[in-house]
């Protein structure tokens, strides 16, 4: 508990800490675990969706590294768990720069404790609804050189934010230099089932109820960036760029793609893609 900031409301479940619990982490409280267990009781595949999302993040970061991108802005980065962006990036380049941003005090406190005084990695507590605050933050300016390609990650965060989220993404798209990568995963709306309805109802009890959006609205968040084909071997055909996260360029380490869990609505509707600035759509 030494990692828990004093001002926390321990009685109210929080989506960041529920997600930590789904992933097998230990930075969560009884109220989070009760709410997460209630979700798992009606929808056991939510935990598979969380794992598939983390695996998507890993593959997207690897893709960026292969393109020579060595700086990462991870927005809504969450409670550090296995396979954080800097762990992935530093396997390839020990000099890679990573800035984590989250609004949740536990996520930020734990990230600070984990990172210590790392020269190339930092974390700030900020609300991504204020992009200029993040872009102009001294930590961003110290670590991220926006005149060079950067990977900006909105992984499983925008569906916790109501309203016009393009107003959040657009300033980042504008600030990124050509060759930069925009990584987004987002829970999409679709046919409602008793399972999905119950999960949405349970998230209403957290400070960040789920805000599902259509696939078209999620795709629009990439603006004029070129969305990569989800399958490495195909040229982009309409509709193949934004796919369930488990199907975005799966590799040998992925256990969810093709498993029975992949057919659950939580996997099918958890969409993701990577867009490249200035590659011509
Ligand atoms: C489901 S977790 C995803 C964590 C990580 N991106 C991943 O995919 O594994 C969502 C995170 O977004 C954060 N978040 C939600 N709304 C936010 C906001 N307005 N600004 C910054 N972070 C936010 C939450 O605190 C939580 O840590």
């Amino acid at each position: 508990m030494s990692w828990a900031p004093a001002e926390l409301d321990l009685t109210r479940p929080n989506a960041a800490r529920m997600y930590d619990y789904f992933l097998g982490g230990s930075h969560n409280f009884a109220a989070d675990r009760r709410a997460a267990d209630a979700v798992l009781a009606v929808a056991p595949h939510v935990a598979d969706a969380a794992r598939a999302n983390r695996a998507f993040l890993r593959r997207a970061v690897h893709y960026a590294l292969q393109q020579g991108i060595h700086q990462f802005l991870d927005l809504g980065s969450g409670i550090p768990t296995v396979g954080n962006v800097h762990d992935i990036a530093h396997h390839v380049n020990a000099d890679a720069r990573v800035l984590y941003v989250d609004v949740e005090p536990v996520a930020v406190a734990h990230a600070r404790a984990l990172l210590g005084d790392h020269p190339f990695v930092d974390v700030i507590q900020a609300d991504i609804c204020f992009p200029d605050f993040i872009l102009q933050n001294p930590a961003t300016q110290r670590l991220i050189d926006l005149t060079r390609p950067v990977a900006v990650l909105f992984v499983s965060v925008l569906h916790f934010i109501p309203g016009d989220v393009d107003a959040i993404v657009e300033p980042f798209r504008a600030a990124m230099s050509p060759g930069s990568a925009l990584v987004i995963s987002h829970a999409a709306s679709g046919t409602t089932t008793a399972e999905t309805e119950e999960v949405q109802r349970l998230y209403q009890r957290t400070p960040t109820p789920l805000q599902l959006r259509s696939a078209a609205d999620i795709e629009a968040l990439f603006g004029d960036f070129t969305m990569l084909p989800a399958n490495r071997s195909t040229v982009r055909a309409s509709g193949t760029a934004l796919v369930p996260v488990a199907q975005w360029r799966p590799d040998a380490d992925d256990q969810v793609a093709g498993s029975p869990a992949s057919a659950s609505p939580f996997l099918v509707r958890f969409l993701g893609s990577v867009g490249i600035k200035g590659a011509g759509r």
Side-chain angles (χ1 to χ4, degrees), residues 16 19 53-54 76-78 102-104 126-128 155-157 161:
Y19 183 77
N53 176 65
R54 276 311 274 187
S77 46
D102 206 287
V103 74
E104 212 279 322
D127 186 334
I128 63 168
V155 179
S156 187
V157 56
I161 300 177

Side-chain angles (χ1 to χ4, degrees), residues 59-103:
R59 299 192 303 276
V61 169
H62 271 299
Y63 172 82
L65 289 161
Q66 281 158 9
Q67 305 312 303
I69 297 175
H70 297 288
Q71 35 178 11
F72 298 84
L73 191 49
D74 188 0
L75 302 167
S77 46
I79 295 171
T81 173
V82 179
N84 298 303
V85 172
H86 74 283
D87 297 324
I88 303 166
H90 288 169
H91 262 107
V92 175
N93 175 4
D95 291 343
R97 274 38 177 183
V98 181
L99 181 66
Y100 294 111
V101 179
D102 206 287
V103 74

Side-chain angles (χ1 to χ4, degrees), residues 158 163-166 169 173 184 186 188-189 212-223 242 271:
L158 294 169
D164 175 15
V165 284
D166 195 52
V169 183
R173 287 198 310 264
I184 298 177
H186 194 301
S189 48
L212 305 180
R213 295 186 172 85
S214 69
D217 286 347
I218 298 168
E219 184 158 341
L221 297 174
F222 288 91
L242 184 71
L271 305 181

